[in-house]
Amino acid sequence: MGKIIRFRLNGRPVSIYVENNELLLNVLREKLGVMSPKYGCGIGECGACTVLLDGEPVLSCLTLAVEVDGKDVVTAEGLAKDSELDVVQRAFIEEGAIQCGYCIPGFILVAKKLLEENPEPDEDFIREYIRGNLCRCTGYVNIVRAIKRAAEELKFHVGKNKQV
Amino acid sequence: MTERKFVKPLKPKVDVNRVNTRILPVEFEYFEPRTVKEVVELLSKYGSEARILAGGTDLIVRMKQRFIEPKYIVNIKKVKELNFIEDRGDHLAIGAATKLREIEKSGIVRKRFVALYEAVRSMAGVQIRNMATIGGNLCNASPAADTAPPLLVFEAKLKIVGPDGEKLVPISEFFLGPGKTVLKHDEVLAEIWIPYQPEGTGSAFIKIARVAMDLAKVNVAVALRTEEGVVKSVKIALGAVAPTPIRAYKTEEFLTGKELSEATLEKAAEIVKTEVKPITDIRSTAEYRREVSGVIVKDALLKAYERISGR
């Protein structure tokens, strides 16, 4: 039992048949080849499967694929524009925030939303906001630093644009 | 002194390491009704074999673990009349399928129902709060449900809709036991009505948990109104210390009419400890829960007192 769902995936329209009991995470990874969302705990503790659903970070391992019919899904693959990495992605690389890398796509999507809500976050705000994401390498210090760096770079860019 | 018993290590019912949470190994028929009427019709038709899917952060997990295997899933995420926050003069109404994140962002909740705001803020991470709903938190009837103590102290009413129409149930009568509520199979929780509190009420929520993402070991909410330092009205509710979230009526009675001195707070903390009936489980021991109940009730009273405006 299932149905054909149509949704936008990283800006492109997708149409695919899914079973009622299929999870969004598995459809993305196994049927659509989008590999950045990861299976971590499967019960909503770790944040490795985070995707942006209509702009909000949610857990794709607890979301039925049939539910995303008509919605907009963004994964880490959808952040780079014209093969240039997003500011947040660059900041994670520059700060060495990536160790094994398994949790990073989830962290980056949450960081995107964090910066959209608060362009000047302090450390407490960041740590509070990313508490739904676990890093098994415990590399939180660098992750927090990367998010701060991304915030500063965004501010710098905005400032520059204003001057022009 | 309290008697100490040897605590046996607890065995989980299912070996969690052998549960495959990668997939959802349950087949079901799936519905996306658009109105409450349709929801009730589906529930009436399929009875106990149907389950309501709201946020899914509990239901899907429990289906993955095969604790429950419903044949019909009724997704209420797209029912507009269950998804709103509305000022109705004497009370604030919240649709049962409203996401925790929406409640957290509501200016009215933040200003007028501080304890509820704090409770929602304390729950899990941002992803879960983008999915989980206030109605789901209540209907799962976990003794540790964080939204329950604030709603108990604000004396919220729950609008329940069934085939024979709708009714209002005080939240103090809603929970029957762990996982059990007064809801029948063909009924749906539609709205939560939270009465505005009288001028000069301060409220607070405090939770003790192992880590930020975990459920509460103990949680408490307080709503307090004083006049010149004397308690005019006080409501205290605790979670995870009894089969359901509870009000601490004896402590409330003791505090009413008294000045909030250190000695009074100490005595109140002692009474709270006699009102709770905690158990030992994977998160905490009964002894710890009892002891800490007194401490955080005291802390919450002080916090609420500081918040009373024009004090």
Side-chain angles (χ1 to χ4, degrees):
Chain A
M1 276 178 292
K3 72 169 188 177
I4 293 174
I5 56 166
R6 291 175 182 82
F7 65 103
R8 284 178 80 79
L9 175 59
N10 294 328
R12 295 211 176 110
V14 172
S15 141
I16 188 167
Y17 176 84
V18 296
E19 298 291 338
N20 285 344
N21 63 351
E22 267 188 290
L23 300 162
L24 177 60
L25 175 66
N26 298 342
V27 170
L28 290 175
R29 289 180 61 86
E30 286 156 25
K31 290 190 166 167
L32 295 165
V34 174
M35 303 306 266
S36 77
K38 302 289 192 289
Y39 168 81
C41 66
I43 55 171
E45 309 267 0
C46 77
C49 67
T50 302
V51 300
L52 297 180
L53 184 61
D54 286 346
E56 299 288 338
V58 299
L59 302 175
S60 62
C61 83
L62 296 181
T63 304
L64 298 178
V66 283
E67 289 179 52
V68 304
D69 191 23
K71 299 203 176 226
D72 183 67
V73 177
V74 172
T75 66
E77 283 87 345
L79 296 183
K81 298 265 148 56
D82 302 326
S83 76
E84 193 175 320
L85 291 181
D86 185 83
V87 174
V88 178
Q89 290 173 308
R90 256 197 341 259
F92 269 70
I93 295 170
E94 280 160 13
E95 289 294 341
I98 300 158
Q99 292 186 46
C100 84
Y102 202 81
C103 66
I104 296 300
F107 268 105
I108 285 179
L109 292 172
V110 168
K112 281 292 285 180
K113 183 69 190 174
L114 181 161
L115 293 170
E116 189 187 306
E117 274 179 30
N118 182 356
E120 292 178 40
D122 59 17
E123 169 130 8
D124 285 347
F125 186 91
I126 295 172
R127 286 194 173 262
E128 177 70 28
Y129 208 98
I130 61 173
R131 75 175 198 221
N133 292 74
L134 298 182
C135 167
R136 64 184 177 185
C137 314
T138 69
Y140 297 104
V141 171
N142 292 355
I143 289 170
V144 172
R145 211 185 288 144
I147 297 174
K148 271 192 205 151
R149 183 183 186 124
E152 274 157 29
E153 279 181 24
L154 279 167
K155 210 163 91 184
F156 178 69
H157 284 303
V158 171
K160 224 168 46 179
N161 288 344
K162 266 183 196 157
Q163 281 169 6
V164 174
Chain B
M1 282 306 291
T2 48
E3 74 281 20
R4 296 202 171 267
K5 277 187 213 147
F6 175 67
V7 179
K8 263 197 283 181
L10 289 156
K11 250 194 199 156
K13 275 183 207 146
V14 182
D15 182 352
V16 284
N17 295 317
R18 296 186 62 185
V19 172
N20 181 359
T21 56
R22 199 179 279 269
I23 54 163
L24 189 56
V26 181
E27 291 201 339
F28 50 83
E29 237 180 282
Y30 174 80
F31 302 95
E32 274 181 9
R34 302 293 161 130
T35 64
V36 173
K37 195 166 164 271
E38 284 171 49
V39 175
V40 172
E41 278 166 13
L42 286 164
L43 296 177
S44 306
K45 192 168 166 194
Y46 297 116
S48 60
E49 298 202 308
R51 283 286 174 143
I52 291 178
L53 170 66
T57 56
D58 283 306
L59 182 78
I60 305 277
V61 173
R62 282 163 66 213
M63 285 168 69
K64 281 182 171 186
Q65 296 169 334
R66 306 194 82 152
F67 282 122
I68 43 172
E69 303 189 343
K71 288 207 174 78
Y72 306 92
I73 291 290
V74 180
N75 182 351
I76 59 168
K77 284 183 202 183
K78 290 179 182 163
V79 182
K80 285 217 177 76
E81 29 174 343
L82 292 178
N83 201 337
F84 67 90
I85 300 178
E86 190 182 276
D87 177 4
R88 291 191 184 151
D90 64 333
H91 68 268
L92 184 74
I94 302 180
T98 306
K99 305 219 180 323
L100 297 176
R101 191 95 175 112
E102 297 298 323
I103 295 166
E104 178 188 344
K105 284 179 179 167
S106 151
I108 300 185
V109 172
R110 192 172 185 163
K111 259 202 212 109
R112 306 289 298 270
F113 303 103
V114 183
L116 180 61
Y117 169 76
E118 285 179 319
V120 172
R121 285 277 302 174
S122 81
M123 293 169 76
V126 65
Q127 297 96 321
I128 296 275
R129 298 206 297 278
N130 270 327
M131 305 170 76
T133 66
I134 186 167
N137 192 237
L138 295 175
C139 293
N140 273 312
S142 159
D146 284 322
T147 62
L151 294 175
L152 276 163
V153 299
F154 295 136
E155 301 194 312
K157 290 196 170 75
L158 307 180
K159 185 176 132 182
I160 293 170
V161 180
D164 308 322
E166 55 183 67
K167 61 185 173 189
L168 273 182
V169 175
I171 185 162
S172 55
E173 292 166 21
F174 183 69
F175 303 108
L176 299 178
K180 284 202 194 86
T181 69
V182 297
L183 279 181
K184 299 199 186 75
H185 284 305
D186 52 3
E187 289 178 331
V188 59
L189 172 60
E191 295 177 9
I192 294 112
W193 294 12
I194 320 173
Y196 287 112
Q197 305 297 301
E199 199 66 31
T201 303
S203 72
F205 172 88
I206 295 177
K207 147 161 127 182
I208 306 287
R210 295 183 298 183
V211 292
M213 286 289 286
D214 198 16
L215 298 184
K217 291 175 178 214
V218 186
N219 55 19
V220 60
V222 160
L224 176 70
R225 191 159 56 87
T226 58
E227 255 169 46
E228 287 160 16
V230 175
V231 177
K232 280 285 148 194
S233 146
V234 62
K235 282 148 202 157
I236 301 167
L238 298 108
V241 292
T244 68
I246 55 162
R247 277 273 292 275
Y249 291 111
K250 280 185 205 151
T251 316
E252 294 175 4
E253 202 179 311
F254 165 77
L255 281 167
T256 308
K258 294 218 170 49
E259 226 170 288
L260 273 189
S261 65
E262 183 62 29
T264 313
L265 288 170
E266 281 300 330
K267 185 82 211 310
E270 286 307 313
I271 302 173
V272 167
K273 286 192 237 169
T274 66
E275 289 196 83
V276 297
K277 297 173 199 71
I279 56 159
T280 294
D281 65 9
I282 51 165
R283 289 195 174 78
S284 194
T285 62
E287 289 89 343
Y288 178 83
R289 284 186 159 116
R290 174 167 294 120
E291 206 53 42
V292 96
S293 293
V295 177
I296 62 172
V297 162
K298 201 175 128 186
D299 289 350
L301 283 165
L302 286 171
K303 217 165 144 191
Y305 183 61
E306 280 167 19
R307 286 181 179 153
I308 297 175
S309 56
R311 168 169 61 89

